Amino acid sequence: MNRRQLLRASVVMSAAAALPRVGAADSAPSAFGSSSVRELARTLATKSFEPPDEKLPEALQNLNYDQYRSIRFLPDHALWRNEKLPFQAQFFHRGFFYKNKVDLFEVSNGRAVPIQYRRDDFSFGEGLGQWPNVDLGFAGFRIHAPINRPDYFDEVCVFLGASYFRAVAKGETYGLSARGLSIDTGETKGEEFPVFKAFWLEKPAPNATSIVIHALLDSKSATASYRFTIRPGESTIFDVEMFLYPRVDVAHGGLAPMTSMFFFGPNDRKDFDDFRPAVHDSDGLAISNGNGEQLWRPLNNPRDLQVSTFTDLNPRGFGLMQREKKYFAYQDLESRFERRPSLWVEPIGDWGEGAVVLFEIPTKEEIHDNIAAFWRPKQPLTAKNEHNFTYRLHWGPDAPKSDTLARFTRTGVGNRGDESKLFVLELMGDKLKGIDPKTIKGTVTAEKSEISNIVTEPNPETGGWRLSFQCAIQSKAPIELRAVLVQNDTPISEVWTYRWTP
């Protein structure tokens, strides 16, 4: 999953007969309704898959990173800028990693009009060569809105590359990414990467607090339509309506997938000679399962590929979180990892049986996205059927708090020198305030190992509590660990679950 460099480039820079015409060369409007893209996806699924159009003039075929970075969209040319609307759209040029042509449309008054590529909307660096002034289409787009202050339109979200998109909330910088759909992630036959081939941007009303974007996804195995309702703010919310139409049975589909980076942290620094205490876009996977249990799984950069499966029925939510929000935890003035958002998926309705799947992939560089998580339904997504999923994405400093359970905020791991590991877990939460220490204890279990020296104590420096214990290392096999803080045998914290790997 070498996607970090690919993603960073984006920062720099009614009836079937009446369907919008994807790939139309003219600018004639067409009728557009709430089901238009769904009908288009359904029709497309009955046809053979055609790879995306990657044809570009020779001068744009082999751009390097710096050359592509020098191509800038001119902010004064942003869509809706001169109309003083609460949202604006800017567009990405094709080239470098982004050769696929993406069709864009503006929707207004029930009509969809193609957004035409205009060379004059971009500034170009020196040494790029020349090419005909023709309609090249776009690679993607980004939405701007006054999220941090009322007089400036900040970048709120970006759709660029395959089916990737990212967003930020107030005061944040880009970090992890979401995807429209994952197929065969981690399978030996190789992963399939669906692409967004067209978008429809609904023109916002003058006082709108949200913007609606429709997307058409296509791949060898499936098509899908998406309706994103995006509301920027202290947390930026995406309400997502997805209709999926498999061409073949999809046994290893991933819903609401997300990708992130975990290089190292206090739970594993052994192989990293670095001035920074930690480097990661996300530090853990959080799950609220269908039984009402809250799980916290700190992330790893393992020596070998690790796959973790959390079986569930009708999950309440899951996400890759960046809980550590203090600068001194990272001490990186450039990357500012403390400002990276968390991403929480909130299913709307029942998703049935399945599992949250976590992939942790070894990496020796922080430029790689080596973490992936998604929901995998137990039953295959069958061909020639419509599969509907609705969910809400919360991009922001934290997941929506559904209860008062204490949370694990830091996992520290160290060598004791006696063939054991010392685990030191920090917890914070209102549930811990003013509590009698005599009534609290930590419960820790491990598979294929022995736990000793369990200590639970207040931490006066943080205002929270600390749970520490030793785990015997008796073999080279991974050890599954589980811990929770209880008061009179009643859990007062979420459940910490961890896989220690040699």
Side-chain angles (χ1 to χ4, degrees):
M1 292 190 180
N2 184 351
R3 308 181 186 118
R4 174 64 42 183
Q5 186 181 15
L6 178 149
L7 293 167
R8 278 185 174 172
S10 67
V11 177
V12 181
M13 319 189 275
S14 13
L19 292 176
R21 292 164 293 169
V22 177
D26 60 76
S27 59
S30 57
F32 187 90
S34 60
S35 63
S36 292
V37 183
R38 189 192 318 171
E39 295 293 339
L40 187 57
R42 181 186 288 116
T43 301
L44 191 61
T46 65
K47 303 176 181 179
S48 299
F49 172 68
E50 295 184 7
D53 180 2
E54 294 187 350
K55 296 188 296 292
L56 281 172
E58 185 176 351
L60 296 172
Q61 279 288 348
N62 298 304
L63 298 181
N64 61 34
Y65 174 76
D66 290 329
Q67 289 173 322
Y68 183 72
R69 181 179 177 178
S70 72
I71 305 176
R72 305 292 185 90
F73 187 86
L74 300 174
D76 288 345
H77 294 212
L79 183 66
W80 307 315
R81 183 181 181 92
N82 295 329
E83 300 178 67
K84 309 298 182 182
L85 297 179
F87 294 89
Q88 298 175 7
Q90 299 184 21
F91 308 113
F92 288 102
H93 206 281
R94 294 171 63 201
F96 189 46
F97 290 142
Y98 312 109
K99 295 179 181 179
N100 292 354
K101 183 179 180 181
V102 177
D103 294 308
L104 301 179
F105 301 82
E106 178 190 11
V107 176
S108 180
N109 299 319
R111 310 291 287 179
V113 178
I115 299 172
Q116 297 291 333
Y117 166 89
R118 296 182 302 183
R119 185 172 180 146
D120 291 343
D121 288 339
F122 297 87
S123 65
F124 299 90
E126 298 180 0
L128 288 182
Q130 299 295 322
W131 59 88
N133 188 12
V134 296
D135 186 357
L136 296 177
F138 301 98
F141 66 96
R142 56 193 179 198
I143 298 297
H144 292 244
I147 190 172
N148 289 305
R149 65 180 207 231
D151 60 338
Y152 184 80
F153 280 68
D154 290 289
E155 190 171 335
V156 171
C157 63
V158 57
F159 290 79
L160 180 64
S163 68
Y164 286 89
F165 58 98
R166 293 192 288 173
V168 294
K170 183 177 181 179
E172 293 183 333
T173 62
Y174 282 125
L176 78 170
S177 301
R179 297 167 60 187
L181 179 69
S182 70
I183 298 177
D184 291 335
T185 301
E187 296 301 303
T188 55
K189 64 181 178 179
E191 184 171 0
E192 181 176 324
F193 288 92
V195 299
F196 284 136
K197 64 184 302 178
F199 293 92
W200 291 258
L201 283 60
E202 290 195 15
K203 185 177 182 179
N207 297 317
T209 58
S210 64
I211 184 171
V212 175
I213 296 170
H214 304 261
L216 175 65
L217 179 140
D218 196 14
S219 76
K220 184 178 179 180
S221 298
T223 69
S225 70
Y226 295 79
R227 185 181 191 273
F228 301 98
T229 303
I230 302 170
R231 302 190 304 275
E234 298 290 340
S235 286
T236 292
I237 310 299
F238 281 45
D239 287 331
V240 185
E241 300 173 50
M242 172 192 182
F243 289 87
L244 177 67
Y245 303 94
R247 289 187 170 98
V248 297
D249 289 351
V250 178
H252 302 104
L255 303 178
M258 58 190 79
T259 61
S260 191
M261 179 273 292
F262 184 92
F263 193 37
F264 66 87
N267 56 323
D268 187 1
R269 287 188 49 87
K270 182 178 179 181
D271 297 330
F272 303 98
D273 185 10
D274 199 295
F275 76 94
R276 298 166 295 181
V279 174
H280 51 71
D281 284 343
S282 305
D283 52 12
L285 170 69
I287 300 174
S288 178
N289 65 28
N291 292 326
E293 190 177 45
Q294 311 293 316
L295 304 178
W296 175 247
R297 168 65 155 78
L299 297 175
N300 274 303
N301 180 1
R303 277 54 171 182
D304 301 294
L305 171 67
Q306 297 292 319
V307 183
S308 302
T309 302
F310 301 86
T311 304
D312 200 1
L313 172 66
N314 297 327
R316 300 181 183 182
F318 66 93
L320 293 174
M321 318 305 292
Q322 183 77 322
R323 285 189 175 176
E324 182 54 79
K325 295 296 184 182
K326 299 182 181 65
Y327 161 77
F328 290 102
Y330 309 99
Q331 299 188 37
D332 191 323
L333 289 172
E334 178 183 2
S335 297
R336 305 311 298 250
F337 294 109
E338 72 276 10
R339 297 179 184 174
R340 304 296 171 98
S342 297
L343 176 54
W344 180 257
V345 178
E346 178 189 354
I348 306 298
D350 293 340
W351 279 14
E353 292 184 89
V356 176
V357 182
L358 172 67
F359 282 85
E360 296 168 299
I361 304 167
T363 182
K364 295 183 178 180
E365 297 179 283
E366 63 186 272
I367 63 172
H368 303 306
D369 271 355
N370 63 319
I371 304 296
F374 49 81
W375 173 259
R376 176 171 287 170
K378 181 179 180 179
Q379 300 299 325
L381 299 165
T382 53
K384 300 180 181 180
N385 282 304
E386 178 181 88
H387 304 269
N388 173 225
F389 300 93
T390 303
Y391 54 97
R392 182 169 292 136
L393 299 177
H394 300 258
W395 306 80
D398 201 353
K401 289 185 171 65
S402 58
D403 53 47
T404 59
L405 290 176
R407 290 180 163 192
F408 291 91
T409 58
R410 185 180 186 272
T411 295
V413 183
N415 195 339
R416 292 297 293 175
D418 55 358
E419 297 185 347
S420 70
K421 288 285 183 179
L422 174 65
F423 288 79
V424 180
L425 316 180
E426 302 289 350
L427 298 96
M428 295 289 293
D430 293 340
K431 201 83 170 179
L432 302 176
K433 294 180 180 179
I435 200 165
D436 184 355
K438 297 179 181 179
T439 66
I440 292 183
K441 69 176 182 178
T443 299
V444 184
T445 58
E447 291 183 1
K448 303 176 183 178
S449 185
E450 295 180 2
I451 299 298
S452 61
N453 297 333
I454 301 175
V455 178
T456 307
E457 59 186 337
N459 186 336
E461 298 299 323
T462 65
W465 280 68
R466 171 174 288 187
L467 169 61
S468 62
F469 60 90
Q470 286 180 238
C471 177
I473 307 301
Q474 300 170 331
S475 71
K476 296 295 185 179
I479 299 172
E480 298 288 346
L481 296 155
R482 185 179 174 95
V484 63
L485 212 59
V486 299
Q487 181 182 32
N488 300 325
D489 297 326
T490 299
I492 59 171
S493 77
E494 62 187 1
V495 177
W496 176 89
T497 177
Y498 193 74
R499 177 181 294 168
W500 182 85
T501 59

